[in-house]
Amino acid sequence: VAPEIFEILPLFSNVPYVFVDSPLDHDKQLTTVAQDPYQGGYCAGRIMDLLVPNAKKIITVQMYDKAPNLHERSRGFAEYFNNPNVVKNITYTAKEYGTQKKFIEAILKAKPDGIFVTNEGSSEIADYCKAKKITKSFALIGYDLMEKNVKSLKEGNIDCLISQSPQDQGYLAVKKLYQHCLINEKIEREIFIPINIFFKENHYEHYRNRRCRIYRKQLYFSHVKKIPGLPHHLSGLSDLCRKPFHSCTCHGQPKFPFRKRKHHRPRSS
């Protein structure tokens, strides 16, 4: 999160807004939709302890110095081990390291037993080791199911990824704004997203479950009843926010969006 955000916020004093991804020390927002960064870091520490029991040196990597959520992940990770002689935090600065390549070289030169990257940059370390044909002798844990990270996870170059479900965060943020602005519902101050953990063996579950969630939302939009008085592009959104999936009235109706298989008559001989 850029520090300039606090300079911009006064411009929205009369407009409701939602913080997404980063819980900030602020009290004017409608709500915050995010994953608890401290608990995410603490969870990563527990996983690292399982991957590398009795580790003597573990490095946490921060690619941005002024991001409060990354600081909280590092703090949670360090407090799990509660041993400053084992966990060392390294923050990238262009002034000190120059390029990211030199930064990665400095990390690997320390010969750690484990590396925890607090953002999406874990694939940079994995790709560097792969390009230099360096035998990976450490556990690597990172954040975010970006395509390059998932590729490294499938190849075994990353041991574990923690997902923040950014699509769900964005969806919930818009949903809460709608509930507050249009139907005057009371909104909770904080909404924490679950900590989703992925290994090589279960990463495909994310994509399968994601397709199901997207389909469910599309199903709602195409079948909820229209609400009189709302603009056309907002009609039906009240049911979207109120009705559970199993109570959708479209079941059993002829327009249910599954294509029927065509049965062809056998050709007469």
Side-chain angles (χ1 to χ4, degrees):
V1 178
E4 292 80 8
I5 187 69
F6 293 105
E7 299 177 6
I8 299 174
L9 288 178
L11 301 176
F12 300 97
S13 58
N14 297 322
V15 179
Y17 55 87
V18 175
F19 286 157
V20 177
D21 182 53
S22 298
L24 299 179
D25 187 13
H26 194 69
D27 60 355
K28 302 297 183 182
Q29 73 275 16
L30 174 64
T31 185
T32 296
V33 181
Q35 191 180 86
D36 189 325
Y38 175 86
Q39 292 297 336
Y42 197 92
C43 182
R46 185 181 294 276
I47 297 169
M48 184 68 77
D49 196 24
L50 294 171
L51 293 175
V52 192
N54 304 316
K56 296 181 179 179
K57 184 185 292 185
I58 299 174
I59 293 177
T60 60
V61 178
Q62 285 186 220
M63 297 303 295
Y64 308 103
D65 184 37
K66 296 182 179 180
N69 55 335
L70 304 189
H71 282 292
E72 283 295 290
R73 290 172 192 168
S74 296
R75 186 172 71 88
F77 186 87
E79 289 191 5
Y80 173 83
F81 289 96
N82 195 26
N83 188 343
N85 295 323
V86 172
V87 180
K88 180 183 179 183
N89 182 65
I90 298 180
T91 303
Y92 170 76
T93 59
K95 183 178 180 180
E96 183 176 356
Y97 295 99
T99 63
Q100 287 192 7
K101 179 181 177 181
K102 292 183 179 179
F103 180 57
I104 295 173
E105 290 174 351
I107 295 170
L108 299 179
K109 189 177 180 179
K111 296 182 179 180
D113 299 312
I115 300 175
F116 170 49
V117 184
T118 56
N119 68 336
E120 74 280 0
S122 53
S123 62
E124 302 295 334
I125 296 175
D127 291 344
Y128 180 88
C129 293
K130 182 179 179 180
K132 297 292 183 179
K133 297 182 180 180
I134 299 173
T135 302
K136 182 172 165 287
S137 58
F138 53 86
L140 180 58
I141 299 175
Y143 259 81
D144 298 332
L145 291 183
M146 300 178 66
E147 184 176 351
K148 57 183 181 180
N149 286 354
V150 172
K151 180 181 178 183
S152 295
L153 183 71
K154 290 167 62 178
E155 294 173 351
N157 298 322
I158 294 176
D159 296 285
C160 176
L161 287 172
I162 297 176
S163 171
Q164 304 179 79
S165 302
Q167 298 93 339
D168 292 339
Q169 289 191 43
Y171 174 79
L172 282 172
V174 175
K175 176 180 175 180
K176 295 304 174 182
L177 284 170
Y178 163 75
Q179 290 176 321
H180 172 75
C181 297
L182 294 181
I183 53 180
N184 297 319
E185 287 190 1
K186 186 177 180 180
I187 306 300
E188 53 269 51
R189 288 290 297 170
E190 291 181 323
I191 302 171
F192 284 117
I193 299 295
I195 299 170
N196 296 320
I197 302 168
F198 292 93
F199 297 92
K200 179 180 179 180
E201 293 78 11
N202 74 325
H203 76 278
Y204 69 92
E205 290 289 341
H206 167 76
Y207 298 101
R208 187 176 71 178
N209 293 338
R210 185 65 202 156
R211 284 197 296 270
C212 291
R213 289 197 295 270
I214 291 173
Y215 173 75
R216 184 162 66 243
K217 291 167 189 174
Q218 289 175 340
L219 183 66
Y220 267 126
F221 273 108
S222 59
H223 288 278
V224 294
K225 64 181 181 180
K226 303 300 180 183
I227 301 176
L230 283 181
H232 176 72
H233 65 286
L234 294 177
S235 58
L237 288 184
S238 179
D239 281 1
L240 172 68
C241 298
R242 294 172 184 267
K243 282 191 176 182
F245 173 68
H246 64 267
S247 66
C248 183
T249 57
C250 64
H251 289 282
Q253 295 187 10
K255 291 186 178 181
F256 189 72
F258 281 122
R259 293 183 180 180
K260 295 182 179 180
R261 293 185 61 185
K262 294 181 180 180
H263 298 281
H264 299 280
R265 296 179 180 178
R267 294 181 180 180
S268 56
S269 55

